[in-house]
Amino acid sequence: MDSRPEIVRAAAEAAARQSYGKLVAWLSARTRDVAAAEDALADAFAAALERWPKSGVPDKPEAWLLAVARRRRVDAVRRRLTSEAGREHLRLIAEEAEARMTNEDLPDEDMPDERLRLMFACAHPAIESSVRAPLILQTILGFDAATIASAFLVSPAAMGQRLVRAKTRIRETGIPFRVPERAELGERLDAVLEAIYAAFAEGWSDPAGTETQRRNLATEGIWLGRLVASLMPDEPEALGLLALMLFAEARRAARRDAEGDFVPLAQQDCELWDRALINEAEVLLSRAAQSGVIGRYQLEAAVQSAHAARRLTGRTDWVAIRELYDALFSIAGSPVVAINRAVAVAEAEGAVAGLAALYVLGDDKRLDDYQPYWAARAGLLARLGQVPQATQAYDRAIGLERDPAVRRFLQGKQAALRN
């Protein structure tokens, strides 16, 4: 055991990143009380930060956290539940404690991984559709409401309220923690895939791994994608999502130059792309296409495949990309897709056409604080020589950007307007 403060904190953070969802899923699988499981686990992490500096980091941090969290959960039930129904609930928890772990020495590998079951419980039809994906992100990966709200373009307060209601719904209606039968699977799959992609996107937006809460999220997203694809090897959208994430991950090394500055896709060195990941993604996309059923993630992966083809042809086929975005917009007409389509239109048909496609979105209030919209608008206005308007749009994009490297890139583009 090592009790140095920096080692203790690093161990606690590693356990949080690697085991948060696994522990929440295990704790809540029997009682279906997700909020109580999260509270108990939060207490366990707090106890770890208090005790480990004195006693040292245990050999099996995950098992230690589980033992403490389970004791805290039982204590909470004893304090809060006094009715006959409450005593029955307490009895179930106590039986579980005796059956599953009688001491703190339970090996990590003996704890079943219930994450997939929890994901599908969160995607149950009884849960409001708009909160299913955010709920998965919070319970499996520990995202806070503010981070989730940013990803889904809603206010943190509204997202927090929706998440609380959803967890209450799981507890009160007794939603089962199980992987659905195949006949039930389709209706829940969209929410599961959306959550996985949102997790990956959050990690992807922090390529240097500098933010603790987002570190390794891209890796977690790919892991979850592989898990679902292995469960549903014939489901084209599961394969399409995994392909999409692998195409993006393949470019990670090319997104920053030697000085750490941001490099946009069109300027990236193709030799730095991971060919093994690209080849794996191409195989997955080909398998998905064999079903004859086209969906959102397959189309998004096809866009990335078209970009990846530049390593072979030396050019980007913007006409093909625009056509793919046309098809994508017809089935998933989100403002995010519309922005990307407008950029493709500009590359294929000129900045005037691209700006016209972008201006159609001008009344969508969700875009007021959405950085990619303002960055795309600034770039197109700059190409048309509309310097004052472009400068204002760059101001907005720079103010909204979280990544310092991307912020510097945008500031450079803005400065170039004055020269």
Side-chain angles (χ1 to χ4, degrees):
M1 294 186 180
D2 193 325
S3 60
R4 284 176 294 172
E6 65 274 15
I7 299 298
V8 170
R9 184 163 295 278
E13 290 180 354
R17 292 196 303 272
Q18 297 166 10
S19 304
Y20 181 86
K22 187 176 180 182
L23 290 168
V24 167
W26 196 95
L27 288 164
S28 57
R30 184 72 176 271
T31 64
R32 302 183 182 89
D33 193 338
V34 177
E38 291 174 328
D39 290 343
L41 188 56
D43 287 345
F45 278 114
L49 292 177
E50 178 185 351
R51 297 182 194 176
W52 290 0
K54 303 173 185 176
S55 62
V57 178
D59 293 335
K60 295 170 182 174
E62 185 176 273
W64 190 97
L65 290 165
L66 176 62
V68 174
R70 289 173 61 249
R71 287 199 299 269
R72 296 298 171 89
R73 189 181 61 175
V74 171
D75 290 343
V77 172
R78 287 194 178 107
R79 287 194 303 269
R80 297 172 189 169
L81 301 179
T82 57
S83 66
E84 187 66 31
R87 287 195 291 274
E88 176 65 15
H89 190 80
L90 179 59
R91 184 186 63 79
L92 287 174
I93 292 177
E95 286 179 357
E96 175 199 5
E98 291 299 320
R100 304 297 284 271
M101 187 171 69
T102 57
N103 57 59
E104 295 181 10
D105 297 325
L106 177 70
D108 291 2
E109 58 267 26
D110 285 351
M111 187 175 72
D113 192 336
E114 307 280 6
R115 278 178 289 189
L116 194 59
R117 297 175 186 271
L118 177 56
M119 289 169 67
F120 280 105
C122 293
H124 193 278
I127 301 295
E128 182 184 346
S129 60
S130 65
V131 79
R132 293 173 193 167
L135 184 60
I136 291 171
L137 290 178
Q138 187 168 77
T139 57
I140 299 297
L141 295 173
F143 282 17
D144 60 32
T147 300
I148 298 171
S150 174
F152 288 86
L153 305 180
V154 300
S155 73
M159 181 58 71
Q161 291 172 356
R162 293 177 191 177
L163 291 167
V164 169
R165 287 198 300 268
K167 292 170 192 175
T168 301
R169 182 87 173 152
I170 289 175
R171 184 184 70 248
E172 292 181 347
T173 60
I175 291 173
F177 278 50
R178 64 179 178 84
V179 177
E181 300 297 330
R182 180 157 294 277
E184 306 171 89
L185 211 48
E187 62 182 331
R188 301 192 207 176
L189 182 61
D190 286 347
V192 170
L193 297 183
E194 184 181 357
I196 292 171
Y197 190 34
F200 175 82
E202 272 296 305
W204 178 248
S205 65
D206 181 35
T210 56
E211 296 188 26
T212 300
Q213 289 183 322
R214 296 156 69 196
R215 193 179 303 152
N216 287 344
L217 289 180
T219 300
E220 284 287 341
I222 290 174
W223 184 90
L224 291 170
R226 290 190 187 281
L227 184 64
V228 176
S230 67
L231 172 73
M232 309 177 70
D234 299 321
E235 172 52 53
E237 280 294 82
L239 299 175
L241 174 59
L242 181 55
L244 170 60
M245 294 188 292
L246 293 178
F247 275 126
E249 186 66 17
R251 300 197 303 269
R252 180 174 293 276
R255 297 181 69 207
R256 295 289 188 271
D257 63 17
E259 287 72 41
D261 289 329
F262 173 72
V263 181
L265 175 57
Q267 299 173 23
Q268 289 177 10
D269 181 355
C270 301
E271 294 301 316
L272 297 177
W273 293 351
D274 188 321
R275 297 188 179 186
L277 288 181
I278 291 174
N279 290 338
E280 182 183 358
E282 295 286 6
V283 170
L284 288 165
L285 188 56
S286 178
R287 279 176 52 197
Q290 292 173 10
S291 71
V293 179
I294 302 300
R296 166 194 171 187
Y297 295 111
Q298 293 172 78
L299 287 170
E300 291 198 38
V303 169
Q304 297 305 315
S305 177
H307 281 296
R310 179 162 65 86
R311 78 194 194 283
L312 304 174
T313 65
R315 68 180 188 87
T316 301
D317 189 344
W318 284 106
V319 172
I321 291 173
R322 184 207 63 204
E323 291 174 351
L324 287 168
Y325 273 122
D326 286 344
L328 182 58
F329 189 73
S330 70
I331 64 172
S334 74
V336 176
V337 172
I339 292 167
N340 290 326
R341 178 184 175 276
V343 172
V345 168
E347 295 295 337
E349 302 176 19
V352 172
L355 197 59
L358 200 62
Y359 276 161
V360 173
L361 305 172
D363 294 333
D364 193 328
K365 298 302 181 184
R366 291 175 295 177
L367 299 177
D368 287 349
D369 296 321
Y370 190 57
Q371 186 273 354
Y373 168 76
W374 293 102
R377 179 169 174 163
L380 294 178
L381 288 167
R383 285 170 58 176
L384 293 173
Q386 298 182 29
V387 175
Q389 298 94 323
T391 298
Q392 291 177 353
Y394 272 126
D395 282 339
R396 188 70 172 147
I398 291 166
L400 292 169
E401 180 54 55
R402 294 182 295 178
D403 187 327
V406 177
R407 194 181 306 121
R408 290 195 302 271
F409 174 80
L410 293 172
Q411 288 168 337
K413 289 286 188 181
Q414 186 185 51
L417 292 175
R418 306 187 184 100
N419 299 331

